[in-house]
Amino acid sequence: MPVIFGKSSCGEFLKETYSAVVYHNRSPEFYEEIKMKIPPNLTDNHHLLFTFYHVSCQQKQNTLLETPVGYTWIPLMQHGRIRTGPFSLPVSVEKPPPSYSVLTPDVQLPGMKWVDNHKSVFSVQVVAVSSVHTQDPYLDKFFILVNVLEEYSFPFRMKDVIITENNVETELKTSIANLKYASMEPLVKFCHRLLSKLILLIIHPPIINGQIVNLGRAVFEAMALMVNQIHKSLEGNQDQHGHNNLLASYIHYVFHLPDMDQGMLNMMGSQHHGGPIQYATLSRATGRPSSLNLSRSKSISNSNPDLATTPVSPDEEVQKIIATKGIDRSHSWVNSAYAPGGPKAVLRRNHPNSSCDLKQACERSPNRASCYIEGSAFTSSAQTRPTARKLLHEDLALQWVVSSSNVREAALHQAWFFFQLMVKSMAHHLYLSDKINTPRKMRFPDRFVDDINALICTISTDIAGQYQKDLELIERLNTSVAFFLNDLFSLVDRGFVFNLIRSYYKQINTKLLTAQNPNTLIALRMDFIRIICSHEHYVTLNLPCSTLSPPASPSPSVSSSTSQSSAFSSHVQDQKIANMFELSVPFRQQHFPSGLLLTELALILEPDSEGVFFLHKKMISAVHNLLCSHDSDPRYMDPEVKAHVAQLYLPLIGIVMDALPQLYDFTEQYSQRSRHTCVIASDSDSENSSTINQSVAMAIAGSPLPHGYKPAAFQLPAAAARQYSTLSAETSRTLLICLLWVLKNADEDSLQSWAADLSVMQINRLLDLLYLCVSCFEYKGKKAFERINSLTFKKSLDMKARLEEAILGTIGARQEMVRRCRERSPYGNQENVRWRKNITHWKQTTDKVDKTKAEVEHEALVDGNLATETNLVVLDTLEIIVQTVILSESKDSVLGGVLKVLLHSMGCNQSAVFLQHCFATQRALVLKFPELLFEEDTEICADLCLRLLRHCSSSVGSIRAHASASLFLLMRQNFEIGNNFARVKMQVTMSLSSLVGTSQNFNEEYLRRSLKTILTYAEEGLELRDTTFPEQVQDMLFNLHMILTDTVKMKEHQEDPEMLIDLMYRIAKGYQNSPDLRLTWLQNMAAKHSERGNHAEAAQCLVHSAALVAEYLNMLEDCRHLPVGCVSFQGISSNVLEESAVSDDILSPDEEGICSGKYFTEAGLIGLLEQAAASFTMGGLYEAVNEVYKILIPILEANRDFKKLASIHGKLQDAFSKITNQRMFGTYFRVGFYGSKFGDLDEQEFVYKEPSITKLAEISHRLEEFYAERFGDDTVEIIKDSNPVDKAKLDPNKAYIQLTYVEPYFDTYEMKDRITYFDKNYNLRNFMFCTPFTLDGRAHGDLHEQFKRKTILTTSHAFPYIKTRINVIQKEEIILIPIEVAIEDMQKKTQELAFATHQDPADAKMLQMVLQGCVGTTVNQGPLEVAQVFLADIPDDPKLFRHHNKLRLCFKDFTKRCEDALRKNKTLIGPDQKEYHRELEKNYHRLKEALSPLINRKIPQLYKALIPHTSQRNSFNRSSLRKVES
């Protein structure tokens, strides 16, 4: 046969091939490798023939060149198996006889000659690469036996065993059992074929001698062990769910039920081979253990959209009614195009498992028997042979239920395989038997249904019992069960599947009561319900179109519904609405899957649940994914349909409201608002709220709720406040998106009816939730997306949850490794993606670190659209609330909350589309409820004015137009109430001042246009033309234009912080007679200081604000516990007296619009003081914190606010404990400006306060750089010395800056009170700097000619002040003569010695360094030279006697201090420094001897009558706190 592959020079296939010639070797070795293509249908006659030739080197006459000398052969088939491996063959001398190939060369044929007496002399190895021949004895035997049974070719010889009808069953069972011993390589290679044969043995059990041989148990065991074996050996070949790809591809591509022949069905019940057919092995009647609970359970289903017959039960009756509302047989109740046969017909959920072979099926007829006889024709026999037929899914379920422990364990490991096999078998069975349109309850027999029920119950028990032993296995098993039940929805009665889900929940919840680590079980249950709810007809399963009625029966009939509805009263109707918004019994009866999902969410968001951070994201994401699928589903695009879908999630609103304290606080960037105040208080209406019977709820929903859960919505805890666990920002955002989707799509009438029944506190909580939504979804802009690395962001958000998992031990190292491996899978970490089911619907969403510009723009666009959509939903909800409470008694408190949410949304970054609607709503509210703004709280009016003014400066024309109209109507409304709009006038002026002082993106030009528009409205309005309204508007706009003019100046100095603060200070000073506006500007200054980190100055601004408020509060009412005006604040700062309201033109606080802000109250004063204390704390001025609290504590004591008192005393303790001398408060510099280019600053001198440890070079560089940029590089010069500046010598075209480092200066009497480091750095008005000089103009000279100039500067206010630079108002100079300079130097050296000597703890190095400087041989000329210059001779001038004597006494003190220092040093040194110490002592004695005659000489004149001494300066008449005019 031409089967040998030819070489390159030959044909493609050859009949023979030759080896190379081996020369002169009696034992040759051949290295050739010959490749052959053997035919697929080998027989016993196929063999390999080897012929050995002798080759002559010298050809002789009449002789052949090649002479055959031997023959041998290998039969390729023997006993049905291909022969491979090494062979050692005898060689025949003679040519083999005919038909030799049947025998092997080992058989010594008679009459043949053999080489070496029939010894094995030729060795060869045969290797087969075959997809037909297994080359494994166990697999070969199995396939041969199956083939024998198929062909019914008895008897059959297999090696030494003859297979007959009597022993074939035993041999077959043995071979099936021995499959587990097969080699792994052929087992994997022939896996699909092997599985098909095994399944065929179940579907067509062989009939031998008229008896059905039931091989179900043996086959199931073999399949379970084989599948598990393949899974373990191919561990790397798995998808993200741990499913082996080889096994999964078998189910998807290979497996299908054999086609049915109509002619075979006619033979059911007939007898063949002379007797009735009986079960010879395991029968259904005897095979079931009685201990299994296999009784048919009652269905609670009321869902059967496939009903096609006359209703005979409540379930069918209800479904027929629903079917008339658009539900068709394809489970789609939206579009009949999805019905079977329609243009978009879908094969329900089992479409991945469909096979192309089904198209070639024979005529289909119903098959209602589980096992029957089928006749077929044989090729080897003329008579028909009966065969039995069983259903694979039925037998698999039965065998799994009754399987032994080992087999059952193996099946559980690969449960997904058997579940998917069963599902595909069921789907094919329905298709082949034409049962797709059969009522669901009649599709499968009760026995099979019982088996499934028992199987699910058993597996649920295993999940609940073994989750701690092998969590990875249980996770896979749990997922497999969930997907199986998901698939069953498309195949069997839905009520039966609901029963299975309930059984699962019962098992899990029973275990939860005693579980040590319940979070793992809860996570499993979450995965289960998430997969269940991912069904394509999930919405239909929830019966969204049926109305919700009070509890009557699990499946209400039409008659019962009619009788109930006829008796409905208003109370019943209210109850009906309430049930729709609660996880009530009727809701969970009607919407069973949705009820389970939302109950799971409610449980996990319980505030008492601990350690569930990693579960929050899982559950909330499940709900979010469901809502996303509904929103994008083309079947639910119609708004009415979407309202029905949203009805399934109405309880979500109550769940999120209850979880409000746990949500991430997105409002932190705004002014802190007490969002959660209403959460803790008790609900006055809670007694009347509907509650659920616990036992009924647990029975209906499959007992999903643990004991102690209160499912009734809005039952608020009456206990004291507790610390809630906060959800992450990402999780909270997802939950809020779900809430907004429900609010957007829910029926408006239902929402309005529900809101009407809420208490005031519940509505306020809903408003808080909407407020949070506005903050959460505020548009951040493109820059935010460019800054944020989303990958890092997500990792940081998950860190808390990961840490929680690690601490609780819910995830081990192995599970963590598996999780990471799965996250690296091609499809990412998508938990609910099933293999080849919905993979195309998923998209990888992991963000890249670096995004392109197009991606950033797209994200910004999406974020902007989302912000607009969410805010419009919030706006719609607010309008529903307003319509609901408009007639209620408590409308004022609710409407205030509505307006606050509205104002908050106006204050965030919004689109023009939203703002137009928002302004319209705001105008309507103000028009209908003017008392909200003009009679009650002024804070709302102030906020509204601020928001409107901000939008009046918008660059978008439509926004400006709406904002201008709103502001004008606000003024007009206020005027119409009292012929005066003083309140709005004041609030608008204050708002503009605040806006000017704090807003960065403020546009003055646009605002002027808006103000002009308002003036046009006022002048052209016909109704109020004859009143004073236009004039008042004009006055107000004039004031606003003045403020805007100041704004222009502020913008000029935006980069000069000192000048900017000076300008704001000047503006605030101009409002000395308008307390509201002055307060606003003081707060603007405080904000600016805080931005720059000047906390001390910010605190001073707040102290001034508090003093201003106290001054006016004292005028309004005299309260003992309140401070008596500014005087009470003198302990904090001496500057605060400038806030006194003592002039004649001070306004009365009783006037309309005056002192009407929120700060001019006792609460406002408390707030300002608390802010001041906080700023002092940040600035490290802890002593000032104490002074602030001295004012605040009496107020809190009078209010009995013990909680805040406890907090304050705790803060005081912290403040006092932080008081040390290691703080650094600031560095001061004198800065003088000279030159006409400086304008108002020319010849002005200031003292600048800079941060601590600021070097002279730093401030010099900063000022030089700033003014050089402003005036030009060559224009600015820094004057390096501190001498007086002669302006006549300066270049008029240049700008000069003189900088000098200055130190605080205190008179002698002040030092008694300024003891601590804080005292010496607080309330500073006097500063000093020294300038050395000589009379001949040099800076330095010899000792006898060295003079020093001390310059003392006095500032207008004391540091720290509300500014960081203060004008110098007085300058005083003191000239020290040389002897006075020497006295100062010696006093300084003596002080350094004293400090080093008495330092605690002692510092030996510091002490030795100071000593060395005083007595060392290299430097002792310093003090000695001073003494010799000034003490050698008694001065001639009597005025110098006292200086001479003072210097002499200084030296005396100096020598004593040196002696003390040496004594101290002796106690500190070690043995290695004794020599050094002796040297110091020697130097000291030498210095003392030299000084002794000089310091012991007294001036006789001093002991005579004293000469009156006059001084240029009387320090006792100076006060560092007293203004001295220069």
Side-chain angles (χ1 to χ4, degrees), residues 152 354 375 418 459 479 544 574 616 626 636 664 706 744 751-752 777 809 829 858 893 971 995 1077 1209 1272 1466:
Y152 214 73
S354 61
F418 294 101
I459 292 179
T479 305
D574 293 343
H616 287 148
L626 263 180
Y636 312 137
Y664 182 86
K744 174 188 174 183
L751 285 175
Q752 201 162 333
F777 298 104
N829 55 350
H858 177 71
S893 61
M971 299 176 190
L995 198 63
L1077 291 171
H1209 283 289
K1466 191 173 184 178

Side-chain angles (χ1 to χ4, degrees), residues 889-1185:
E889 298 176 358
S890 54
K891 69 174 182 180
D892 292 342
S893 61
V894 173
L895 290 174
V898 170
L899 203 53
K900 284 181 181 177
V901 177
L902 201 63
L903 291 175
H904 179 52
S905 65
M906 290 169 65
C908 298
N909 297 326
Q910 301 290 2
S911 65
V913 174
F914 168 75
L915 284 173
Q916 292 177 18
H917 295 283
C918 186
F919 285 131
T921 302
Q922 171 262 318
R923 289 194 291 268
L925 273 176
V926 173
L927 189 65
K928 289 182 181 178
F929 312 106
E931 65 276 3
L932 276 177
L933 299 173
F934 309 127
E935 294 180 9
E936 302 297 333
D937 190 5
T938 58
E939 183 182 347
I940 298 180
C941 184
D943 287 346
L944 179 58
C945 292
L946 180 61
R947 303 283 186 257
L948 292 177
L949 271 176
R950 189 169 76 89
H951 290 299
C952 280
S953 67
S954 169
S955 59
V956 182
S958 60
I959 295 178
R960 288 201 306 274
H962 280 273
S964 302
S966 291
L967 190 56
F968 171 74
L969 289 174
L970 193 65
M971 299 176 190
R972 177 173 166 175
Q973 193 78 14
N974 193 201
F975 180 81
E976 288 175 347
I977 289 177
N979 290 330
N980 183 2
F981 59 99
R983 172 174 292 193
V984 173
K985 189 190 300 183
M986 179 57 67
Q987 297 295 353
V988 168
T989 311
M990 288 171 58
S991 298
L992 183 59
S993 299
S994 177
L995 198 63
V996 165
T998 57
S999 178
Q1000 299 293 330
N1001 302 321
F1002 176 73
N1003 191 299
E1004 177 218 353
E1005 179 60 31
Y1006 289 135
L1007 184 55
R1008 288 189 189 273
R1009 292 186 195 176
S1010 298
L1011 295 179
K1012 189 175 181 181
T1013 304
I1014 293 172
L1015 185 60
T1016 305
Y1017 284 149
E1019 290 174 348
E1020 296 183 0
L1022 298 175
E1023 297 177 7
L1024 300 176
R1025 181 177 291 178
D1026 299 330
T1027 64
T1028 58
F1029 180 67
E1031 186 181 345
Q1032 291 188 37
V1033 171
Q1034 198 167 0
D1035 289 343
M1036 186 195 77
L1037 295 182
F1038 177 76
N1039 291 336
L1040 297 183
H1041 280 295
M1042 291 301 295
I1043 295 175
L1044 287 176
T1045 304
D1046 291 334
T1047 308
V1048 176
K1049 292 182 181 177
M1050 288 176 63
K1051 283 192 175 179
E1052 290 176 4
H1053 301 289
Q1054 197 66 39
E1055 301 301 320
D1056 185 356
E1058 284 84 10
M1059 196 67 196
L1060 180 64
I1061 290 292
D1062 274 0
L1063 188 57
M1064 295 175 80
Y1065 174 80
R1066 196 182 313 156
I1067 295 171
K1069 192 82 173 170
Y1071 290 125
Q1072 195 81 36
N1073 301 333
S1074 179
D1076 298 85
L1077 291 171
R1078 176 164 176 78
L1079 185 64
T1080 301
W1081 281 98
L1082 284 172
Q1083 289 181 314
N1084 291 344
M1085 292 174 70
K1088 285 292 180 188
H1089 282 306
S1090 294
E1091 282 177 19
R1092 299 189 63 226
N1094 299 330
H1095 299 297
E1097 284 69 28
Q1100 291 294 335
C1101 291
L1102 292 166
V1103 167
H1104 278 248
S1105 301
L1108 181 64
V1109 170
E1111 194 75 22
Y1112 280 87
L1113 284 181
N1114 189 48
M1115 293 169 64
L1116 281 170
E1117 184 180 0
D1118 185 15
C1119 296
R1120 288 187 177 181
H1121 59 273
L1122 291 178
V1124 188
C1126 299
V1127 183
S1128 304
F1129 292 81
Q1130 271 189 295
I1132 304 174
S1133 171
S1134 59
N1135 303 316
V1136 82
L1137 289 176
E1138 65 186 30
E1139 303 300 334
S1140 300
V1142 293
S1143 59
D1144 298 334
D1145 54 353
I1146 289 297
L1147 299 170
S1148 169
D1150 296 328
E1151 291 183 27
E1152 171 68 23
I1154 304 303
C1155 299
S1156 58
K1158 60 183 176 181
Y1159 290 106
F1160 284 95
T1161 60
E1162 192 171 308
L1165 177 62
I1166 292 173
L1168 289 169
L1169 289 171
E1170 286 179 337
Q1171 289 180 49
S1175 292
F1176 275 131
T1177 303
M1178 284 189 283
L1181 302 168
Y1182 305 114
E1183 291 84 348
V1185 174

Side-chain angles (χ1 to χ4, degrees), residues 507-524:
Q507 298 290 344
I508 298 296
N509 289 329
T510 303
K511 183 65 179 178
L512 270 176
L513 299 175
T514 57
Q516 295 179 346
N517 187 10
N519 290 340
T520 306
L521 264 183
I522 293 172
L524 291 172

Side-chain angles (χ1 to χ4, degrees), residues 548-554 564 575 579 584-587 589 696:
L548 203 64
S549 57
S553 63
Q564 288 177 5
Q575 182 64 35
N579 286 339
S584 58
V585 175
F587 181 90
Q589 279 181 320
V696 174

Side-chain angles (χ1 to χ4, degrees), residues 220-339:
F220 181 78
E221 291 179 3
M223 284 177 65
L225 295 173
M226 184 182 83
V227 167
N228 206 33
Q229 200 174 353
I230 290 174
H231 175 82
K232 288 180 179 177
S233 63
L234 300 178
E235 198 165 355
N237 186 22
Q238 297 174 8
D239 61 14
Q240 66 268 29
H241 294 295
H243 298 177
N244 182 273
N245 289 324
L246 184 67
L247 300 173
S249 63
Y250 172 76
I251 295 175
H252 185 71
Y253 295 108
V254 180
F255 167 73
H256 67 90
L257 294 180
D259 302 337
M260 295 176 59
D261 193 334
Q262 179 68 28
M264 305 307 164
L265 301 176
N266 300 328
M267 305 182 64
M268 291 171 55
S270 61
Q271 296 182 2
H272 300 273
H273 290 274
I277 297 173
Q278 303 171 352
Y279 279 106
T281 53
L282 180 65
S283 68
R284 276 195 180 274
T286 60
R288 296 167 182 269
S290 58
S291 60
L292 286 174
N293 179 19
L294 300 178
S295 60
R296 180 81 169 113
S297 57
K298 297 295 181 183
S299 173
I300 64 165
S301 171
N302 51 8
S303 170
N304 191 357
D306 288 339
L307 190 66
T309 59
T310 305
V312 294
S313 69
D315 286 354
E316 295 166 349
E317 192 171 358
V318 170
Q319 286 311 310
K320 183 139 189 174
I321 297 170
I322 298 169
T324 63
K325 298 182 180 179
I327 299 179
D328 58 48
R329 292 186 179 182
S330 72
H331 306 216
S332 173
W333 50 284
V334 176
N335 192 343
S336 59
Y338 291 87

